[in-house]
Amino acid sequence: MSEVNGQPVVEMKNIVKRFGTVEALRGVDFTVHKGEVQALLGDNGAGKSTLIKVLTGVHAPTSGEIILDGQPVKINSPADARALGIETCYQDLALVPLMSIWRNFFLGRELGTQLGPIKWLARKEMAEQTRAALHGIGIEIRSAEDKVGKLSGGERQSIAIGRAIHFGAKLLILDEPTSALSVAETRKVLTYITNANERGLPVIFITHNVNHVYEVSDSYTIIRHGEKVGTYQKGELTQEDIADLITGAREK
């Protein structure tokens, strides 16, 4: 892990989100610091996905404030979030199976030369940058020309993580990255998370798997029924404590 220096990267203060008469978030505070892997934990329907959708501009908060690097910000769309350096790797991933690894890596950010209405892509340069960027976080690929559809689930996650780091993300959000992966593939993804964090990238790790977060996270924020139960530092809770707080079997 990189060193947690105490400086907040993002602060979400008193976030409320209502959908009609349903209050999905009830005044949630959530802070992520530089150098930190923070797990966001909760059962299905607890509100963790809604909180992240507020942070990434999918939902506008009913009330509350978001502060990024010490400055209040309005995030009205996922494009706004990305422009601010917030990159999200969703469970279903935003990758095109029939495209090559490098095409997916640079999707929407292609390098090339514009000549009138025609853009000539710098294929070789993008392929090499893709290989080097992935190598930098411990990911080796056979060829950047390989189709993404041929990759395993863990390898696809690696492309998404590597892409976020390469394009200068300030904050990486991973939404259930180990869901439906084998034990070996899960191990790889957890290593990628550690490698990304060691390069100075703070990470929000959303999951319901206590074993996975206990291994790679510096802190844990637990949400239940739209309310924050608490934030706890690594070593402060056992895995059983975390599981009990998620389900409400025990109050902390």
Side-chain angles (χ1 to χ4, degrees):
M1 298 289 175
S2 64
E3 184 178 350
V4 179
N5 67 15
Q7 175 99 18
V9 175
V10 64
E11 300 171 84
M12 304 181 75
K13 296 184 175 182
N14 198 28
I15 300 296
V16 173
K17 179 59 183 176
R18 297 189 186 93
F19 297 96
T21 59
V22 177
E23 195 170 37
L25 296 173
R26 304 172 182 175
V28 174
D29 293 330
F30 181 62
T31 301
V32 182
H33 299 87
K34 290 184 178 178
E36 179 178 45
V37 176
Q38 180 160 169
L40 182 59
L41 296 154
D43 242 337
N44 291 333
K48 61 185 187 296
S49 292
T50 302
L51 183 67
I52 291 304
K53 286 179 179 178
V54 168
L55 178 58
T56 56
V58 176
H59 296 320
T62 303
S63 62
E65 185 178 26
I66 300 175
I67 298 172
L68 185 67
D69 287 336
Q71 298 297 320
V73 293
K74 296 291 185 182
I75 305 176
N76 298 314
S77 70
D80 286 350
R82 175 172 276 192
L84 290 167
I86 301 171
E87 289 281 349
T88 307
C89 301
Y90 293 103
Q91 182 177 344
D92 54 359
L93 299 177
L95 300 177
V96 183
L98 295 179
M99 285 186 178
S100 64
I101 294 172
W102 70 261
R103 285 299 300 268
N104 273 279
F105 197 87
F106 280 90
L107 194 61
R109 295 172 166 133
E110 290 84 359
L111 304 178
T113 303
Q114 193 78 33
L115 185 60
I118 301 173
K119 185 172 185 177
W120 301 94
L121 296 180
R123 301 171 63 97
K124 186 175 181 180
E125 182 180 353
M126 286 188 282
E128 177 54 30
Q129 285 194 27
T130 298
R131 187 205 61 77
L134 294 176
H135 174 77
I137 58 170
I139 301 163
E140 301 299 336
I141 57 175
R142 293 174 292 275
S143 170
E145 296 287 351
D146 286 349
K147 298 291 188 292
V148 161
K150 294 182 179 180
L151 303 180
S152 67
E155 288 171 328
R156 294 187 193 199
Q157 285 286 354
S158 75
I159 304 303
I161 294 169
R163 183 173 61 187
I165 295 170
H166 181 73
F167 288 104
K170 293 181 180 179
L171 176 68
L172 176 61
I173 302 170
L174 300 173
D175 185 9
E176 298 282 359
T178 58
S179 177
L181 296 184
S182 68
V183 172
E185 290 289 290
T186 294
R187 175 64 47 195
K188 289 179 184 177
V189 171
L190 294 178
T191 299
Y192 302 151
I193 293 171
T194 301
N195 290 346
N197 180 247
E198 287 176 347
R199 291 171 65 94
L201 183 61
V203 178
I204 299 174
F205 183 10
I206 307 166
T207 186
H208 59 272
N209 191 305
V210 175
N211 293 330
H212 297 167
V213 300
Y214 202 77
E215 181 174 346
V216 301
S217 300
D218 300 297
S219 59
Y220 324 98
T221 293
I222 299 169
I223 294 179
R224 189 170 67 244
H225 303 314
E227 297 181 333
K228 177 179 171 179
V229 176
T231 296
Y232 310 95
Q233 300 306 305
K234 186 168 188 174
E236 188 176 351
L237 302 176
T238 66
Q239 293 188 50
E240 292 75 17
D241 289 334
I242 295 171
D244 286 347
L245 288 169
I246 290 172
T247 62
R250 183 189 310 178
E251 297 294 336
K252 185 75 173 179

